[in-house]
């Protein structure tokens, strides 16, 4: 069986940046399971996996255009520190959800001064080339329910 749209695929993967630092990996744990062809993983990786078989080993470098996009300076916002009164754990890297004109957005605190706090609405991997080392472990047909939901259902419990 080959990877195609609406196959459920299990992969082991290691993701590194251009300095070789590991950003994420499934090694030592369960493989990642995803529904192919519906944008459940970054486009640059999904397109490379198309047509691959169990046991295939792939190394691919995905540029931001095919992953989480470029870092957008317009998504940096400086707000008055007084707006964070009452938040005890304000620190660099703190993430929280805000309501914007475009809907809810997760932002990250990237700078704190005496008077201001700068938050960044970019995905943490925006602008980062992603180097994937992937081994295909399992391929099966998706169930009608999985196709309807647009994602894979793992073994055992799955609740919505
Ligand atoms: Zn579901």
């Amino acid at each position: 069986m080959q990877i195609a749209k609406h196959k459920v695929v299990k992969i082991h993967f290691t993701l590194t940046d251009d300095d070789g630092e590991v950003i994420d990996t499934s090694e030592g744990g369960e493989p990642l399971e995803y529904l192919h062809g519906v944008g459940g993983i970054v486009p640059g990786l999904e397109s490379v996996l198309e047509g691959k078989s169990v046991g295939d080993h792939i190394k691919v470098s995905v540029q931001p255009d095919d992953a989480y996009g470029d870092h957008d300076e317009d998504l940096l916002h400086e707000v008055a520190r007084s707006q964070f009164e009452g938040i005890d754990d304000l620190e660099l890297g703190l993430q929280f959800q805000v309501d914007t004109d475009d809907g809810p957005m997760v932002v990250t605190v990237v700078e704190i001064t005496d008077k201001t706090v700068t938050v960044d609405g970019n995905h943490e991997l925006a602008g980062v080339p992603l180097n994937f080392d992937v081994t295909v472990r399992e391929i099966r047909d998706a169930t009608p329910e999985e196709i309807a939901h647009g994602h894979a259902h793992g073994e055992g419990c799955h609740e919505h």
Side-chain angles (χ1 to χ4, degrees), residues 74-143:
D74 290 344
L75 295 178
L76 287 168
H77 293 286
E78 193 178 81
V79 293
R81 181 152 186 176
S82 58
Q83 292 196 18
F84 291 85
E85 266 173 34
I87 298 179
D88 295 331
D89 59 350
L90 182 64
E91 59 181 11
L92 293 181
L94 178 69
Q95 290 189 318
F96 55 96
Q97 190 168 306
V98 294
D99 289 317
T100 72
D101 294 342
D102 299 324
M105 174 187 273
V106 174
V107 299
T108 307
V109 173
V110 294
E111 195 181 338
I112 303 171
T113 70
D114 287 346
K115 292 206 166 80
T116 64
V117 174
T118 304
V119 298
D120 186 352
N122 285 285
H123 189 281
E124 57 189 327
L125 294 177
V128 179
L130 304 177
N131 302 297
F132 287 98
D133 187 314
V134 175
T135 306
V136 180
R137 302 302 298 269
E138 207 175 299
I139 306 168
R140 65 171 170 84
D141 290 318
T143 65

Side-chain angles (χ1 to χ4, degrees), residues 14-49:
T14 296
L15 170 59
T16 54
D17 65 18
D18 278 354
D19 297 325
E21 294 286 329
V22 175
I23 298 169
D24 196 9
T25 182
S26 66
E27 293 299 336
E30 291 295 309
L32 172 74
E33 185 175 39
Y34 77 96
L35 177 62
H36 189 83
V38 299
I41 59 174
V42 297
L45 179 60
E46 186 167 62
S47 62
V48 167
L49 285 168

